[in-house]
Amino acid sequence: ATAGPRSFSAAEVRARCAQGACLVSCHRRLYDLSGFVRLHPGGEQLLRRRAGTDVSAALDGPPHRHSANARRWLEQYYVGEIEPGDEQGFAAPNRAAVAQLCAWYRDGLWVPQYYNHCLLPQDLVDWQKPLLWQVGYLGEKYDEWVHQPVDRPIRLFHSDFFEFLSKTAWYVVFMVWTPVVLYLSWVSYTSLAQGNTRLFSSFTTEYSIPIHKYYFPFIFLVGMILWSLLEYLIHRFIFHMKPPASNYYLITLHFLLHGQHHKSPFDSSRLVFPPVPASLVIGFFYGVLRLLLPEVLGLAVFVGGLCGYVIYDMMHYYLHYGSPKKGTYLYGLKAYHVKHHFEHQKSGFGISTRFWDYPFRTLIPEETFKKED
């Protein structure tokens, strides 16, 4: 028989908190959020403010409604029960937040008897095997399953080689593509400086427009703006397509492209685009620009877009693992992106900027940030 939940005394919980743990208690159930709280918007500031307290509710500010996914997320950190009679031994610094946490259970949240990290009742896949070949069989259950995030690493392939190519550390993207951006920028600028590049020269020589080297920064900026728009369109219409429940291959493709990220949003090895598959996509877009624009002009636009991509990937990683200061632009953007993952998967597609969410009417309503986490 499987062992039941462990019991914790008030003294033991205090000792763990004194060592830096961040614990939440509710109805005698104890949750250890030590590894996650820094990933929550404002979590780093909360840890600093709670220094010296006995037990911390890892929720800050006035009570607010949490999404169903946030409630499910909490159960991953269940570690045991507080010993009977010891509940009054805690002096949580934010009683209102604890009361709100407890209210989740009155809302009908399913609570397991105890947490088994290997297999939850709502799991529809075998986490001990590669997921890519399993998700296609979920059919009509896939869309709901993939948008119920978990905090655990994902393995996609049986092959160690392909698994290696499917993940990467964030700094690899910066190390690989930054030298390419710098080199191609130099090539573009020096080529424009020769004065041989003209726009519309393939149609007419009389009215063609010369492109001077001084235009390079503006062309570069156009490339970055085009990438920003392309990022939004890909994220919204490709990454967030709803694959037909009857199509095994489209479900598998969706999970490979983006579903894996929504299922495990804090898998650090899958937050940026690995260089090998990225080079294929980047090469495709370069070929398209070569067909549409004069060679040097297309290269200048391309390198601006490539720089925009690198910034986007670095920004995306930071929004998941960074701890921006409350009140800053990046803090708001992190909260915005967390909302996209946990509740508003059909809106809030901007990552490095919210700009395109405005004209396309996919902005997450501002009032949700005042009422929810």
Side-chain angles (χ1 to χ4, degrees):
T2 306
R6 179 186 170 188
S7 294
F8 291 82
S9 67
E12 186 176 2
V13 173
R14 288 195 194 93
R16 292 185 63 171
C17 287
Q19 295 171 358
C22 186
L23 303 175
V24 171
S25 64
C26 180
H27 295 317
R28 291 182 50 217
R29 295 176 64 80
L30 193 64
Y31 303 88
D32 188 347
L33 302 187
S34 305
F36 173 70
V37 67
R38 286 181 175 84
L39 305 181
H40 189 284
E44 192 71 39
Q45 288 78 19
L46 173 59
L47 286 178
R48 285 195 286 266
R49 283 197 296 274
R50 77 174 182 84
T53 60
D54 291 322
V55 177
S56 172
L59 301 172
D60 192 29
H64 50 275
R65 184 176 69 83
H66 287 74
S67 66
N69 276 331
R71 302 170 193 175
R72 295 188 192 97
W73 186 269
L74 178 70
E75 285 305 320
Q76 298 178 101
Y77 308 110
Y78 172 69
V79 291
E81 305 284 333
I82 297 173
E83 292 181 356
D86 275 3
E87 299 94 328
Q88 303 303 319
F90 306 114
N94 192 336
R95 295 283 184 187
V98 175
Q100 180 63 23
L101 179 64
C102 295
W104 291 354
Y105 300 95
R106 295 196 296 270
D107 292 339
L109 168 65
W110 171 80
V111 181
Q113 182 181 2
Y114 52 89
Y115 178 66
N116 182 334
H117 186 75
C118 295
L119 188 64
L120 285 173
Q122 68 266 31
D123 276 343
L124 301 174
V125 296
D126 185 348
W127 285 89
Q128 306 306 313
K129 299 177 181 179
L131 296 189
L132 189 60
W133 316 118
Q134 301 183 57
V135 295
Y137 294 110
L138 296 182
E140 61 184 14
K141 297 179 181 179
Y142 170 75
D143 189 65
E144 180 181 5
W145 174 84
V146 81
H147 289 116
Q148 294 179 354
V150 296
D151 186 7
R152 60 194 307 170
I154 282 178
R155 183 179 178 96
L156 291 177
F157 298 96
H158 292 282
S159 166
D160 290 338
F161 176 71
F162 284 108
E163 184 68 11
F164 170 76
L165 293 181
S166 72
K167 9 182 228 188
T168 190
W170 69 269
Y171 53 83
V172 173
V173 172
F174 184 83
M175 292 173 60
V176 168
W177 296 114
T178 300
V180 176
V181 169
L182 294 175
Y183 173 73
L184 293 182
S185 296
W186 177 79
V187 170
S188 300
Y189 180 80
T190 54
S191 297
L192 289 175
Q194 296 177 9
N196 300 323
T197 305
R198 304 182 71 89
L199 193 59
F200 306 125
S201 59
S202 58
F203 301 105
T204 173
T205 56
E206 185 177 356
Y207 297 104
S208 60
I209 302 173
I211 307 297
H212 299 289
K213 63 181 181 180
Y214 306 109
Y215 295 167
F216 175 74
F218 302 101
I219 301 171
F220 187 95
L221 182 60
V222 167
M224 292 187 68
I225 294 172
L226 286 176
W227 159 254
S228 178
L229 174 60
L230 188 62
E231 167 208 327
Y232 173 89
L233 295 175
I234 291 175
H235 191 189
R236 179 180 177 181
F237 294 108
I238 298 180
F239 288 172
H240 279 271
M241 68 172 181
K242 185 177 180 179
S246 60
N247 196 312
Y248 171 91
Y249 297 102
L250 283 182
I251 291 176
T252 301
L253 179 63
H254 178 270
F255 190 73
L256 177 64
L257 292 178
H258 197 60
Q260 54 168 310
H261 175 53
H262 269 263
K263 189 61 184 176
S264 184
F266 294 102
D267 186 342
S268 61
S269 64
R270 299 189 182 279
L271 286 176
V272 294
F273 204 2
V276 172
S279 63
L280 301 178
V281 178
I282 289 170
F284 168 78
F285 285 117
Y286 174 68
V288 171
L289 288 172
R290 280 289 308 271
L291 292 175
L292 298 177
L293 298 170
E295 180 177 356
V296 177
L297 183 59
L299 182 62
V301 173
F302 169 78
V303 73
L306 184 59
C307 180
Y309 156 70
V310 174
I311 293 172
Y312 150 82
D313 245 359
M314 298 299 96
M315 180 78 77
H316 187 212
Y317 186 89
Y318 184 77
L319 294 185
H320 281 266
Y321 273 87
S323 298
K325 185 178 180 181
K326 190 171 184 178
T328 62
Y329 172 76
L330 288 177
Y331 179 91
L333 202 57
K334 179 181 176 74
Y336 189 77
H337 191 57
V338 168
K339 280 302 229 182
H340 167 73
H341 271 282
F342 280 82
E343 188 163 11
H344 296 273
Q345 292 95 353
K346 302 303 180 184
S347 57
F349 299 106
I351 294 179
S352 54
T353 175
R354 305 185 200 181
F355 176 80
W356 298 109
D357 281 319
Y358 286 94
F360 287 103
R361 300 180 180 275
T362 55
L363 192 71
I364 297 176
E366 192 71 27
E367 56 268 20
T368 63
F369 294 93
K370 301 175 182 177
K371 299 178 182 178
E372 310 164 11
D373 73 317

